[in-house]
């Protein structure tokens, strides 16, 4: 993979790791980072040897939001036409499951970046929030859409309208994160979860993610139709036959991703 200036990548087994690395700005999302993140994720997504991606930051910050210093001088036209955050829309559409392993601050665009992933695993040091209104703007990367779907309208409204930061245990209680772990265990826990996902059949995992995404983007009736058709399509896979034979024969399945 290419050398990046704002992040590091690594492959361990079938898991692709992306570590945001702008410590001087608490991993604030500037245009270079956003471009590099989309490019790194697209490269993992195109690689059949990768079955899960883990996105993480540092102990102090997953990402403290969009880069305010870069954004400050931009115009309404820059945002609407040039849209420096467009690569994050590509990131949110990768087929491969993405686990956000969050320690420290995940604020504004950083919280929205975590919500663009499929699973959010939080260290007990994690802090989430949508503080945009305190800067005179509103969330622009999904905070007004994904947060209400994740935690319900009234809790999301409180967080977006006040800009209040919440800690990891509150984030778990309201359903934003799937699990809170001691900070020292975050990456090990993320690796265990990612390795379990990556061991499954790749086309099955892609299909499961696509159907889950449909639940967020379509009506329930359309989503149920999509699920039924996708479920039937799984019976064309060698891995469906292997998974069920392995159950009958009381052994672990040997998936070939076919
Ligand atoms: N941008 C730029 N630099 C940042 C930053 C940010 N978001 N957050 C922190 N930094 C920098 C600080 O300026 C400081 O740099 P120096 O002063 O040392 O040069 C360094 O990181 C360390 O930060 P602090 O000294 O402030 O550290 P503290 O521990 O005291 O405080 C903090 C940590 C996270 C509470 C604080 O830094 C903070 O409040 N940061 C800002 C958080 C924030 O408001 N985030 C939301 C940004 S708005 C769009 C879509 C989406 C968006 C925009 C457009 N379109 C589709 C067009 C998204 C908008 C946002 O995310």
């Amino acid at each position: 993979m290419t050398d990046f200036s704002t992040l590091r990548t690594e492959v361990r087994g079938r898991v692709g790791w992306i570590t945001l690395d702008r410590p001087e700005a608490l991993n604030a999302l500037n245009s270079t980072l956003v471009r590099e993140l989309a490019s790194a994720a697209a490269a993992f997504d195109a690689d059949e040897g990768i079955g899960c991606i883990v996105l993480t930051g540092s102990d102090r910050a997953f990402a403290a939001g969009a880069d305010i210093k870069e954004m400050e001088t931009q115009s309404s036209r820059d945002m609407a036409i040039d849209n420096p955050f467009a690569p994050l829309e590509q990131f949110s559409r990768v087929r491969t499951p993405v686990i956000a392993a969050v320690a420290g601050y995940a604020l504004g665009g950083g919280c929205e970046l975590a919500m663009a992933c499929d699973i959010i695993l939080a260290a007990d040091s994690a802090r989430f929030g949508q503080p945009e209104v305190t800067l005179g703007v509103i969330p622009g990367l999904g905070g007004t859409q994904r947060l209400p779907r994740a935690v319900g309208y009234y809790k999301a409204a409180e967080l977006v309208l006040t800009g209040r930061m919440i800690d990891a245990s509150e984030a778990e209680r309201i359903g934003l994160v799937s699990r809170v772990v001691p900070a020292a265990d975050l990456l090990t826990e993320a690796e265990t979860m990612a390795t379990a996902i990556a061991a499954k059949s790749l086309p099955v995992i892609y299909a499961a993610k696509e159907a889950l995404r449909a639940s967020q983007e379509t009506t329930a009736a359309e989503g149920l139709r999509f699920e039924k058709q996708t479920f039937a399509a799984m019976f064309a896979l060698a891995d469906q036959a292997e998974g069920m034979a392995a159950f009958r024969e009381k052994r672990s399945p040997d998936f070939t991703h076919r």
Side-chain angles (χ1 to χ4, degrees):
M1 202 175 276
T2 356
D3 267 351
F4 296 112
S5 62
T6 62
L7 52 84
R8 303 187 306 275
T9 61
E10 188 187 350
V11 174
R12 293 213 291 269
R14 288 179 50 76
V15 179
W17 289 77
I18 302 175
T19 304
L20 304 180
D21 190 19
R22 283 193 76 210
E24 71 285 2
L26 301 183
N27 293 333
L29 313 173
N30 67 2
S31 44
T32 307
L33 184 149
V34 160
R35 231 182 8 258
E36 291 188 346
L37 173 58
S39 161
F44 282 147
D45 201 38
D47 182 347
E48 280 188 41
I50 299 295
C52 190
I53 297 170
V54 179
L55 175 63
T56 193
S58 67
D59 290 348
R60 211 175 150 205
F62 177 71
D67 190 315
I68 300 167
K69 294 165 191 166
E70 185 182 78
M71 196 165 47
E72 189 182 355
T73 54
Q74 288 178 328
S75 66
S76 178
R77 187 206 169 277
D78 294 335
M79 287 297 165
I81 308 295
D82 298 340
N83 187 5
F85 296 93
L88 288 184
E89 289 163 26
Q90 295 161 27
F91 170 81
S92 72
R93 286 196 296 269
V94 296
R95 302 166 299 173
T96 314
V98 186
I99 298 172
V102 177
Y105 298 109
L107 301 177
C111 185
E112 292 168 309
L113 177 60
M115 289 190 289
C117 301
D118 301 292
I119 297 170
I120 305 177
L121 198 57
D124 49 15
S125 64
R127 299 285 177 277
F128 298 86
Q130 297 289 162
E132 287 87 344
V133 291
T134 64
L135 295 167
V137 290
I138 70 165
L141 283 170
T144 64
Q145 303 303 308
R146 291 196 179 105
L147 192 59
R149 282 173 170 80
V151 306
Y153 177 84
Y154 297 104
K155 193 70 192 181
E158 183 223 323
L159 297 178
V160 168
L161 297 177
T162 65
R164 182 171 73 86
M165 226 188 278
I166 60 173
D167 64 17
S169 62
E170 184 170 356
E172 183 182 34
R173 200 164 63 244
I174 66 176
L176 180 60
V177 309
S178 62
R179 195 140 50 88
V180 181
V181 300
D185 299 340
L186 179 67
L187 298 185
T188 317
E189 293 286 339
E191 178 149 32
T192 302
M193 189 185 279
T195 302
I197 293 170
K200 308 291 187 296
S201 167
L202 192 62
V204 171
I205 288 294
Y206 284 169
K209 171 165 173 170
E210 189 72 15
L212 282 162
R213 288 294 169 122
S215 76
Q216 304 300 291
E217 293 162 3
T218 64
T219 63
E222 281 174 281
L224 286 166
R225 269 197 298 279
F226 180 79
E227 184 192 68
K228 190 164 66 177
Q229 286 158 5
T230 308
F231 177 81
M234 297 297 96
F235 285 74
L237 292 171
D239 284 340
Q240 172 270 326
E242 167 60 12
M244 294 190 182
F247 172 79
R248 180 171 31 79
E249 292 161 15
K250 301 188 187 300
R251 60 175 173 81
S252 299
D254 181 15
F255 291 128
T256 55
H257 312 295
R258 295 285 178 274

